[in-house]
Amino acid sequence: MNTVVYTLGELAEQLGATLRGDAAQPVSGLATLQDAGPQQLSFLANAQYRKFLENSRAGAVLLTPKDAEDYSGNALLIDNPYLAYARVSHLFETRPKAASGIHPSAIIDPSAQVDPSASIGAQVVIEADAWIGADVVIGAHSFIGARSCVGAGGRLASRVTLCHDVRIGERVVIQPGAVIGGEGFGFANEKGSWEKIAQLGGVRIGDDVEIGANTTIDRGALSDTIIGNGVKLDNQIMIAHNVQIGENTAVAGCAGISGSTKIGRNCMLAGGVGLVGHIEICDNVFITGMTMVTRSITEPGSYSSGTAMQPAAEWRKSAARIRHLDDMARRLQQVEKRLASVTPRGDAASDA
């Protein structure tokens, strides 16, 4: 593997950062403050890691001007070091570049259209009337169902499944094992037995979306399941049929979103969040980890449920008290009624 090397001056120019120190300092990679070596660039984006700055061996550090006041080493000064780190990380990307063309073992229906610039990996299957755009990369063992479309610049890792009638926008990244367009969980009950409902909709995914490993997005029952532009989905998320997620919303791992739920734009759902079906979440909502959302949210802001971690012995005491809350509430109501029926002393004295 060839090592890419930049000078600190070159990185400063690319990032629009202010250089303080040796412009000729070579940088061949990225690392944390604790682990960085003399030719690596690091960053400080979280105050709890500031304690590692002074003794870091990094060749240079991405810092805000304020954090750089007491640091004597090479630095690139920028208002948002984490964003700068995100951008510079692509300069040191190690993922092999896929070559254009179709692997001999791929199976492609004659009616499918594959752009000549696309890269189709080993044992990929592309069914009838599918469409693959320019510069798309499809990893080994992936499956593209009938009439599905992948827009220009998309990257599907190995073992990605797109079922039939899935439409993927441009520059979409889908990580290994994701399944898009599987049948939604739809059944009608007849005297204790379940009859399956055909899922007649598809899935529509916008531009610049990322879908994590082993995440599933079910097809719609009648209309489509819709994922808006710029949405970022972590690993192992379950998105049920007819869910709609607005632009630039991010969802962390192991979240579960029930059917026909609508989530607005610029929302953030932390890990393990659960949403019941047929509710709406407005724009600009942040839901903290492990929260169970049982009703619509109509006002922007931060929402939580559940209890925070505490020592197990204390938690058991709290849990025991929670079981008695209903009884305590009833007794409190009785006390309040008795108090309300007692004539205040001040009124009694004035009557006398």
Side-chain angles (χ1 to χ4, degrees), residues 37-79:
Q39 288 198 4
Q40 291 178 304
L41 177 69
S42 190
F43 64 97
L44 176 62
N46 187 320
Q48 73 181 40
Y49 294 105
R50 186 176 176 81
K51 60 188 175 185
F52 300 114
L53 178 60
E54 182 179 353
N55 295 321
S56 177
R57 297 174 58 245
V61 183
L62 290 160
L63 294 167
T64 64
K66 180 174 177 57
D67 284 330
E69 289 176 0
D70 299 323
Y71 181 65
S72 59
N74 294 326
L76 296 179
L77 309 184
I78 198 160
D79 291 336

Side-chain angles (χ1 to χ4, degrees), residues 20 25 36 40 69 74 87 109 117 121 124 192 204 268:
R20 194 188 69 184
Q25 167 69 39
Q40 291 178 304
E69 289 176 0
N74 294 326
R87 289 173 174 167
D109 189 275
S117 64
V124 167
R204 283 187 286 145
M268 290 188 290

Side-chain angles (χ1 to χ4, degrees), residues 26-265:
V27 176
S28 59
L30 302 169
T32 64
L33 288 170
Q34 305 97 297
D35 299 329
Q39 288 198 4
Q40 291 178 304
L41 177 69
S42 190
F43 64 97
L44 176 62
N46 187 320
Q48 73 181 40
Y49 294 105
R50 186 176 176 81
K51 60 188 175 185
F52 300 114
L53 178 60
E54 182 179 353
N55 295 321
S56 177
R57 297 174 58 245
V61 183
L62 290 160
L63 294 167
T64 64
K66 180 174 177 57
D67 284 330
E69 289 176 0
D70 299 323
Y71 181 65
S72 59
N74 294 326
L76 296 179
L77 309 184
I78 198 160
D79 291 336
N80 190 336
Y82 195 67
L83 179 61
Y85 153 67
R87 289 173 174 167
V88 78
S89 68
H90 295 283
L91 300 177
F92 300 99
E93 175 64 69
T94 59
R95 184 177 62 247
K97 183 176 176 57
S100 300
I102 300 171
H103 192 278
S105 65
I107 301 173
I108 301 177
D109 189 275
S111 66
Q113 299 182 50
V114 178
D115 190 277
S117 64
S119 174
I120 310 300
Q123 298 185 351
V124 167
V125 175
I126 302 178
E127 291 196 325
D129 298 314
W131 182 87
I132 309 299
D135 300 315
V136 168
V137 175
I138 300 179
H141 300 278
S142 289
F143 174 87
I144 311 299
R147 300 178 300 278
S148 287
C149 302
V150 181
R155 178 166 58 86
L156 280 60
S158 61
R159 297 180 295 102
V160 169
T161 297
L162 304 185
C163 299
H164 63 90
D165 298 303
V166 172
R167 302 184 65 85
I168 306 291
E170 296 185 352
R171 300 173 300 279
V172 171
V173 176
I174 306 179
Q175 302 293 354
V179 178
I180 315 299
E183 292 188 355
F185 192 64
F187 297 87
N189 190 280
E190 169 62 19
K191 297 179 181 179
S193 64
W194 297 97
E195 184 167 338
K196 188 172 183 62
I197 299 170
Q199 304 293 290
L200 306 180
V203 177
R204 283 187 286 145
I205 293 176
D207 298 336
D208 302 302
V209 171
E210 178 144 352
I211 300 169
N214 296 319
T215 283
T216 59
I217 303 175
D218 287 346
R219 65 189 321 99
L222 293 172
S223 57
D224 293 341
T225 300
I226 300 173
I227 309 298
N229 295 334
V231 168
K232 309 302 180 188
L233 303 175
D234 198 359
N235 301 337
Q236 297 180 325
I237 294 170
M238 167 61 201
I239 298 175
H241 56 193
N242 296 108
V243 166
Q244 296 182 28
I245 300 180
E247 294 185 358
N248 299 315
T249 283
V251 184
C254 298
I257 304 173
S258 299
S260 299
T261 289
K262 295 181 180 179
I263 300 173
R265 297 170 299 197

